[in-house]
Amino acid sequence: MKFTKAFISMAITIGLIWVLDIKIGPVPPLGAFLNPSTGFWQNAESKNILPAENLKITGLTDEVTVQYDDHRIPHIFAKNDHDLYLAQGFVTARDRLWEMDIQTRSASGRLAEIVGPKALDIDRYHRRMGMVYGAENSLKGIMKNPVSKMVVLAYTEGVNSYIHSLSQKDYPLEFKLLNYEPEEWQPINCVFLLKLMSETLAGGSDQFGLTNDLKRFGAKEVNDLFPDYPFHEDPIIPAGTKWNFKPLPIPQPSKGFTAQMTEGIKTKEIVPGIGSNNWAIGGNKTATGYPILANDPHLNLTFPSIWYQVQMSSPTVNVCGVSLPGAPGVVIGFNQKISWGVTNVDADVLDWYQIKFKDNTKNEYWYNNQWNKVNKRIETIKVLGEKDIIDTVLYTIHGPVVYDSSTEKTAGHHENIPVGDALRWIAHDESDEFMCFYLLNRGKDYNDYRKALTYFTAPAQNFIFASSDKDIAITPNGKFPLKYKDQGKFVLDGSDPADDWHGWIPYDQNPTVKNPAQGFVRSANESPTDPSYPYYINWRYEQYYRGKRISDKLSAMQHATVDSMRLMQMDNYSILAQDVLPAMLKYIDPTKLHADQLKAYNIIKAWDKHYAANAIGASIFNKWWVKFYDTTWAVNFGDNKVFLKMPSFDHTEKLLLTEPSSKWFDNPTTPQKETCADLVNQAFVNVVDEMLRKLGPPGEKWQWGNVKETFVDHLASLPGFGTGQVFTGGTGGVINALRGNNGPSWRMVVQMGPRVMGYGVFPGGESGNPGSFFYNDMFTTWRDGKLNELLFLNSAEEQSKRIKTTLTLR
């Protein structure tokens, strides 16, 4: 009996060990994950920090000192630039290795290697979009420049010095959860981070949807619904600015474009309401007499953050700000003389070209009156637990044919990408953005700022600038194709050279303004210029609401301080509500409302137009406006079989305010003719009744912070590693453009002067380790709209009570 019990016990033990040591589907081997010597237990960190640490790493030519402050932010002091970038790679990998790995895997189409077939669609999409092809081309440009080459190779060596020091127990938690090992870093990985940013900020297109609109409604209607300049606008470069250059000749439209724009001839949608803000106010409007610069780029909010905070110092530079984990240098920040920030331009640098193949073999395509050979790029995609996928991508003179047949598109995915069309994308071109940041980090004045921008290709950014020389400036900057007006608004003819890009707008002719009379510069992703600018950059931009509010605030501001800027970054006032709410309320007859509807009506009538967390009026208005917008356009544009582009909020507002009897308000499927008044009333009643059913009578559950969904999630959406819903204000279209998991990924304010002072925060913490105190230690500060003073040391020897650890690298 004892023998039997012992045998059963041994069998259960052996079976348990076997189960724990194998991988079952997506679940990692739990034995390895739970192992007290090498598993997740090893990732727990104490809040108590060693006051001094010494490490020997490969590749350094001299000693490097890294001072860690009270938020675990590294301040790197090196005796030469090579060691500076090597140390940056080392300390960034130490805190964010898994984030660096997973983002480069995503960009390069290698997620399925570690998570299996569920990532195959995104891998194929990134391969077919030419992300790897573009990164290879950019790397060629970087390696041609000896300075950029040194920077990237040194950074890469630093990352690998850290990776080579790891044992299994030291792996970041996510490697253990997903059961894979970090691999050696490659220089191209640094470039993949830029390609991901290009995809996020310059990877969308309305061309497919607008081309379908053109076929359905004709040129006259489409030109009216989608004008080249909006009803409301407050451009980045002040209206009326004179251009002091002789423009290049503008290309002539192709015959095909002219034909489809003639009335009677038949022929990833961009998400509105998200974006970024930056502004700089001149010394004549500040309390100190020196400029103040502010920037809050709006991107996806994740733990760990998309940004990594750092100070970098060598004999050639002393700069502070944020970097992209996996890429060298500081992207947004300041030094002793200048500060800078960025927002997205939304330039038209991604075009689709309809390709005519000779036959079903697709070996040749028609271009410039002759058949041309298709280049075929073989993409091998490794899939965990399955055979490799071999994918062949067709390349034309324009670029890759992302989907050459409809069977390659997964249902419900990438609807804005046409089948059979080639992609011409600026992100495919040779470039050297790292040189731009190398020079900005060392910049001393306006001339240095302008020189640095000539190295920046994509994604095009509104670079804002302020200096201790009391200059302020802004430049919508990037490598802009030279095009005829509206070229790329619709899908182009891939056989006609007249539809090719015709060269480039010279960098010194990119729109810019320095020290304007208004006393400030600013951007919020709206139109770069008024229509007098001689070149075509794009036909659509983010709507004017945030930009207008920023202009209103800065115009009225005097004796501004850092706190004035901080409070502005949290501003929740809605210009959209200011524009449309009086007109919408005018159409409501309170006598026809039941008691709860009347209560909602009185709440929104008294609302102050601020999207505060506790505002009930914000919840009612937001849902009411969206319902009105959807109801207006759904009948004509809500086709489940054909992808159509819907008109903008701006054009909807124009119809509401100036054309209340427009045909677009009428539902042709009903016998009566509907007007704007009918749709406004219908939308209000439906929204209030929906809220009553879902939330009960107006009360706490109706507050905007409870109705909107704001959260910061783990980068891999791991349960329990994010914030859950956050009670906060803001929305798309107000300065505090916080909605869903998209919002101010980094808030920064810099006071220029004899002693430059920087303030900033991002949601989360410097560490990517969920077991660290510094994983989310700055989240509450960010949520509450506060800023941390950014420690900016002049030397490694400078004393500060905020320094908690000195790391010496030898």
Side-chain angles (χ1 to χ4, degrees), residues 64 70 94 257-258 289 387 412 453 472 492 497 555 563 620 656:
V64 175
D70 46 352
R94 207 175 180 216
F257 179 82
T258 303
K387 291 181 179 180
L453 299 196
I472 59 173
L492 295 161
S555 295
D563 212 46
I620 300 169
L656 169 72

Side-chain angles (χ1 to χ4, degrees), residues 60-186:
L60 289 178
T61 63
D62 212 325
E63 186 174 285
V64 175
T65 301
V66 184
Q67 303 280 28
Y68 281 98
D69 67 23
D70 46 352
H71 287 292
R72 196 62 182 170
I73 293 157
H75 304 259
I76 306 169
F77 294 87
K79 296 172 183 175
N80 59 74
D81 282 349
H82 170 273
D83 288 356
L84 180 67
Y85 291 102
L86 191 149
Q88 186 192 12
F90 181 87
V91 300
T92 307
R94 207 175 180 216
D95 284 326
R96 301 287 190 86
L97 180 60
W98 180 78
E99 177 185 18
M100 293 161 60
D101 178 272
I102 204 69
Q103 292 200 108
T104 53
R105 283 181 178 276
S106 174
S108 58
R110 295 183 56 212
L111 289 173
E113 289 182 23
I114 58 170
V115 300
K118 62 185 176 183
L120 187 56
D121 180 67
I122 190 67
D123 280 356
R124 291 182 74 251
Y125 172 70
H126 278 157
R127 300 285 187 101
R128 300 188 72 87
M129 281 282 288
M131 296 279 273
V132 180
Y133 168 73
E136 291 169 352
N137 287 336
S138 289
L139 187 62
K140 290 176 188 175
I142 290 165
M143 291 304 179
K144 288 177 182 177
N145 183 328
V147 174
S148 301
K149 180 178 180 180
M150 177 276 294
V151 167
V152 169
L153 292 181
Y155 187 94
T156 297
E157 194 171 5
V159 175
N160 285 329
S161 291
Y162 176 68
I163 291 173
H164 296 158
S165 74
L166 293 177
S167 62
Q168 187 179 353
K169 70 180 180 62
D170 302 318
Y171 291 170
L173 177 65
E174 292 89 348
F175 284 102
K176 296 174 182 178
L177 272 170
L178 296 170
N179 191 39
Y180 76 108
E181 297 180 352
E183 60 185 18
E184 190 157 287
W185 194 256
Q186 302 295 329

Side-chain angles (χ1 to χ4, degrees), residues 345-561:
V345 171
D346 208 1
D348 184 5
V349 291
L350 183 155
D351 287 334
W352 295 101
Y353 287 83
Q354 183 65 49
I355 302 300
K356 178 183 178 182
F357 292 105
K358 187 175 184 179
D359 51 41
N360 289 336
T361 65
K362 297 180 180 176
N363 291 323
E364 294 180 274
Y365 66 99
W366 187 253
Y367 172 76
N368 197 19
N369 295 316
Q370 64 183 26
W371 293 109
N372 297 264
K373 185 179 179 183
V374 169
N375 292 316
K376 297 185 178 181
R377 181 182 173 109
I378 306 300
E379 298 284 357
T380 303
I381 306 175
K382 296 185 180 300
V383 183
L384 182 68
E386 297 189 4
K387 291 181 179 180
D388 294 353
I389 301 293
I390 308 299
D391 202 14
T392 302
V393 186
L394 312 180
Y395 275 74
T396 71
I397 191 172
H398 303 293
V401 179
V402 178
Y403 293 116
D404 49 288
S405 73
S406 58
T407 58
E408 291 166 344
K409 286 179 69 171
T410 306
H413 291 77
H414 318 305
E415 292 177 323
N416 62 322
I417 295 181
V419 172
D421 291 13
L423 172 65
R424 177 70 177 99
W425 189 22
I426 192 67
H428 292 155
D429 288 16
E430 196 172 287
S431 64
D432 186 8
E433 284 80 8
F434 294 137
M435 191 62 186
C436 169
F437 296 117
Y438 180 91
L439 293 174
L440 274 178
N441 290 183
R442 290 160 176 77
K444 295 180 174 60
D445 54 28
Y446 174 80
N447 290 333
D448 289 346
Y449 151 80
R450 292 287 288 166
K451 180 182 178 182
L453 299 196
T454 63
Y455 286 91
F456 194 87
T457 295
Q461 298 290 291
N462 298 298
F463 279 87
I464 203 154
F465 167 86
S467 74
S468 292
D469 293 338
K470 300 187 179 181
D471 289 326
I472 59 173
I474 192 166
T475 306
N477 183 74
K479 193 174 182 180
F480 298 132
L482 183 62
K483 296 182 170 187
Y484 59 76
K485 185 175 179 292
D486 285 342
Q487 183 181 350
K489 191 171 185 177
F490 309 96
V491 174
L492 295 161
D493 182 356
S495 68
D496 189 350
D499 276 342
D500 293 354
W501 293 358
H502 302 281
W504 309 97
I505 299 173
Y507 272 100
D508 61 359
Q509 295 185 15
N510 284 350
T512 190
V513 65
K514 177 186 179 187
N515 299 329
Q518 64 190 17
F520 63 86
V521 289
R522 60 101 187 98
S523 73
N525 314 110
E526 72 276 48
S527 298
T529 71
D530 66 17
S532 69
Y533 183 65
Y535 297 114
Y536 172 74
I537 297 178
N538 203 351
W539 69 275
R540 57 85 61 210
Y541 299 93
E542 188 54 59
Q543 292 159 116
Y544 95 121
Y545 308 118
R546 284 183 291 118
K548 174 70 163 63
R549 177 62 172 171
I550 293 169
S551 288
D552 289 350
K553 297 281 286 184
L554 294 179
S555 295
M557 199 171 285
Q558 298 293 331
H559 308 294
T561 65

Side-chain angles (χ1 to χ4, degrees), residues 35-66:
N35 189 312
S37 298
T38 59
F40 82 99
W41 309 99
Q42 294 293 322
N43 295 96
E45 290 182 6
S46 170
K47 185 180 176 181
N48 299 317
I49 305 168
L50 294 172
E53 198 176 359
N54 291 274
L55 292 173
K56 185 176 181 180
I57 66 173
T58 57
L60 289 178
T61 63
D62 212 325
E63 186 174 285
V64 175
T65 301
V66 184

Side-chain angles (χ1 to χ4, degrees), residues 583-641:
M584 295 174 76
L585 286 170
K586 180 184 69 176
Y587 288 125
I588 303 297
D589 183 354
T591 64
K592 295 182 179 179
L593 303 176
H594 63 62
D596 282 329
Q597 291 171 348
L598 183 60
K599 189 173 182 180
Y601 170 81
N602 288 329
I603 289 171
I604 198 170
K605 193 174 180 182
W607 177 49
D608 63 3
K609 304 178 183 66
H610 283 81
Y611 273 83
N614 62 355
I616 295 176
S619 302
I620 300 169
F621 171 74
N622 195 78
K623 288 181 175 292
W624 184 15
W625 171 257
V626 171
K627 179 73 76 173
F628 168 67
Y629 171 82
D630 288 344
T631 305
T632 300
W633 302 113
V635 172
N636 290 294
F637 290 85
D639 192 322
N640 293 327
K641 296 179 180 179

